[in-house]
Amino acid sequence: MAKAIMVFTSMTGNTEEMAEAIAEGVRQQGIELEVKEVLDATAAELEQYDGILLGAYTWGDGELPDDFLDFYDELDEVDLTGKKAAVFGSCDSSYEKYGAAVDILIEKLQERGAEVVLEGLKVELTPTDEDKELCEKFGRDFAKQLQL
Ligand SMILES: Cc1cc2nc3c(=O)[nH]c(=O)nc-3n(C[C@H](O)[C@H](O)[C@H](O)COP(=O)(O)O)c2cc1C
């Protein structure tokens, strides 16, 4: 059976709420999912999984959160060919570069050979109930891609 890992970071809890709803959706489909905060994860361990979910809010002027920087650099050392991946994050549309961290991570995953199977999921600030349903669906859709 396919195995998946989710690696995320959240400073004020918004991306964490997304992560919880997405994890729920993945597990509803019967996929085994490991969930880790980015500071507890290494990019090398992604190689043990079929599916990779990354979650990050956007920081600075359209940048990755500081917590994600070491992990991001480590990605240059791993080969993700054959892996399926998707990215999510909470964002704020009052900033010019809306959810840029999601785009940065998608680009890096593709560069390392992963197939990004869903459009990045960006949610405005704290997820509403409707957003959480979208997150669960994102998780289910990701799991279905792993079951193809
Ligand atoms: C200093 C600072 C810079 C930010 N820069 C951006 C940005 O460039 N683009 C964006 O979409 N959101 C930006 N945000 C908004 C955060 O991504 C947003 O508050 C998000 O909900 C935080 O997620 P978290 O609760 O998971 O930490 C910024 C927030 C702060 C405090």
Side-chain angles (χ1 to χ4, degrees):
M1 195 177 69
K3 280 197 313 180
I5 184 166
M6 174 190 286
V7 176
F8 77 98
T9 192
S10 181
M11 188 172 54
T12 60
N14 297 334
T15 306
E16 185 169 16
E17 286 189 38
M18 292 182 73
E20 283 165 5
I22 292 167
E24 170 78 25
V26 173
R27 289 176 176 142
Q28 278 169 7
Q29 286 300 121
I31 293 283
E32 193 186 319
L33 178 71
E34 175 85 19
V35 179
K36 288 196 167 189
E37 298 216 9
V38 71
L39 291 178
D40 299 326
T42 64
E45 67 191 292
L46 300 182
E47 292 183 339
Q48 299 163 30
Y49 297 86
D50 310 290
I52 300 163
L53 286 159
L54 299 183
Y57 60 93
T58 300
W59 184 243
D61 179 19
E63 288 152 32
L64 284 178
D66 287 351
D67 282 356
F68 236 99
L69 294 177
D70 287 346
F71 184 91
Y72 180 80
D73 287 343
E74 286 168 23
L75 282 169
D76 285 332
E77 309 298 323
V78 299
D79 179 5
L80 301 180
T81 306
K83 313 287 183 192
K84 292 184 176 176
V87 184
F88 61 92
S90 172
C91 323
D92 181 345
S93 58
S94 69
Y95 289 86
E96 195 185 326
K97 294 181 182 159
Y98 183 68
V102 172
D103 306 322
I104 292 168
L105 290 173
I106 286 175
E107 199 172 314
K108 178 60 79 181
L109 286 164
Q110 288 172 333
E111 190 187 304
R112 303 313 305 152
E115 182 190 355
V116 177
V117 293
L118 300 176
E119 198 176 316
L121 181 61
K122 299 180 183 182
V123 160
E124 176 78 0
L125 297 166
T126 305
T128 61
D129 286 348
E130 202 175 310
D131 292 329
K132 285 188 194 167
E133 278 172 30
L134 279 178
C135 288
E136 271 193 38
K137 182 175 183 310
F138 184 84
R140 284 195 301 274
D141 288 347
F142 182 70
K144 285 178 192 165
Q145 288 285 333
L146 292 181
Q147 290 162 332
L148 287 180

